[in-house]
Amino acid sequence: MANNRNCKRAVLGFVIAVNIFDLISDWTIYTGELLNKDGLVFGPYDRHIVDATLVFCVIATVTFVVEFFLDIYNHNKKSETVELAVEILAVVTLLIEDLPLIGINLHIAFCRQRETNIIQIIKASTAILEPLVKLSIMAIKICRNNCKLKKKITEAKKIRQVLNFLILILLAINLILSILLVLTTMFDSLRLDEEVKNGYQQDVGIFMTVPNMADNEWIRLTDLKTITQLSSPTQGLFLSVMVTAAPLQYIWIRKHFPGSPESLSCYHGNSSSAILLPPNDCSNILPTTETTTVSMRFTYIHPSTYQPMGDIHYNLEVRQGFHQILTNETVSLKYFKVRPAVRSDLALTTTENDSHYQFYREDSDLLSTHEVWKTGTSRCGNTGRESPKLDSDLFVRCVF
């Protein structure tokens, strides 16, 4: 008899431990959703997903507390009514907490599988534990009840038999979905490999507009790989763009560090077309009171659990002439992927057979990263930021 009591206590303790572990796992998932940051390609989770996860975590907490006290009461004082209440609660918990949460996790896995990390794999693997344990306990309970044929079958026991059968079905569904979640998560790499990173970054660059440019016209500053592959990401990349006023317009893009200062490209023309000047001619351009100079610094934030592709931060200073400082809002930066047929190695673009250059046009030359950075097998929408993040703490000085 003592051994039987000890066995029941061990089973009760094990079930409570599994439920506590499951509750912690649910809240860990919610915390991870809150901590996810915006950055390159990947951004925060959809607000509806985060709110839904919170609701189901609260439900999980309430049902855990009720189930805990019912299990303790039923262990100390056997009651058919309490056992019935426990099994009704088990059905309710599976329907309004366990299955919805596993559904949310599957949605995240399918939509954002390229950002898989070790935490997600652990959480996905532990999702199998609870239905396996409960299936085993339920099977033992059903077998034990069926063996006691001499006992009178009451109406409550008939209801419990139906509930037990329903619980078995729901636990089996939960187990299948948990296994699917593990497989979906495990088949992705623990980190974004270089091939995947290159795929996201290929032909994607940072583009800029300055005052007096049309809204759909852009100057290419640099490609993402130049920044993400910096030998010293915290020091970053320092560029300057000098634009003189029309009609005799000059555009000069320079790199100041890392490495020795150099001219990247220089153009002379009007609002519709320009010619590429030799690098030596660019240094002869003298800034005037009508010259807009934009000096900017870009740094790279390395990937982390909550920023799988990392992020790019920037700060800039805009001057009109030598003294008038303009607000940062006069300059816009944005990520774009250049269309395959468009030349993309310089600040302005042209066809291979044309010696005249022009601004990149958003409608004909560029693709929004909102479209090209879709993630997941179901091609879910992009949630990453479409431009670098302004960081006013980065030191930047204007260079003429």
Side-chain angles (χ1 to χ4, degrees), residues 201-210 213 216-227 237 239-243 251-255 264-267 296 298 332-339 342-350 357-362 365-366:
Q201 296 180 22
Q202 188 66 37
D203 297 324
V204 175
I206 300 176
F207 290 75
M208 179 186 76
T209 63
V210 294
M213 283 179 60
N216 67 334
E217 293 180 338
W218 297 85
I219 297 172
R220 179 183 173 278
L221 297 174
T222 184
D223 59 76
L224 290 191
K225 291 182 181 179
T226 300
I227 299 175
L237 173 69
L239 302 176
S240 68
V241 179
M242 190 172 73
V243 181
I251 300 174
W252 187 16
I253 295 90
R254 292 176 289 169
K255 177 186 74 95
L264 299 181
S265 53
C266 179
Y267 306 87
M296 63 201 83
F298 297 95
S332 297
L333 299 182
K334 196 171 182 180
Y335 301 131
F336 284 108
K337 182 182 178 75
V338 181
R339 293 181 185 272
V342 178
R343 184 174 177 181
S344 61
D345 57 332
L346 293 173
L348 302 185
T349 187
T350 184
Y357 291 77
Q358 62 185 14
F359 294 116
Y360 290 87
R361 297 185 181 275
E362 190 170 341
D365 302 326
L366 306 173

Side-chain angles (χ1 to χ4, degrees), residues 125-186:
S125 300
T126 54
I128 297 179
L129 178 63
E130 185 189 14
L132 265 179
V133 171
K134 289 187 176 180
L135 268 172
S136 302
I137 293 173
M138 186 59 62
I140 294 170
K141 186 187 293 185
I142 291 174
C143 290
R144 187 185 63 189
N145 291 338
N146 288 338
C147 289
K148 297 178 180 179
L149 297 177
K150 295 181 180 179
K151 288 193 174 183
K152 182 180 177 182
I153 304 297
T154 62
E155 192 66 30
K157 286 182 179 178
K158 290 180 181 179
I159 296 174
R160 286 179 56 202
Q161 286 178 344
V162 174
L163 289 172
N164 288 338
F165 181 71
L166 183 57
I167 291 171
L168 278 175
I169 293 175
L170 293 175
L171 283 173
I173 294 172
N174 197 3
L175 179 61
I176 292 170
L177 293 178
S178 298
I179 293 172
L180 179 60
L181 176 62
V182 170
L183 293 177
T184 303
T185 308
M186 289 292 288

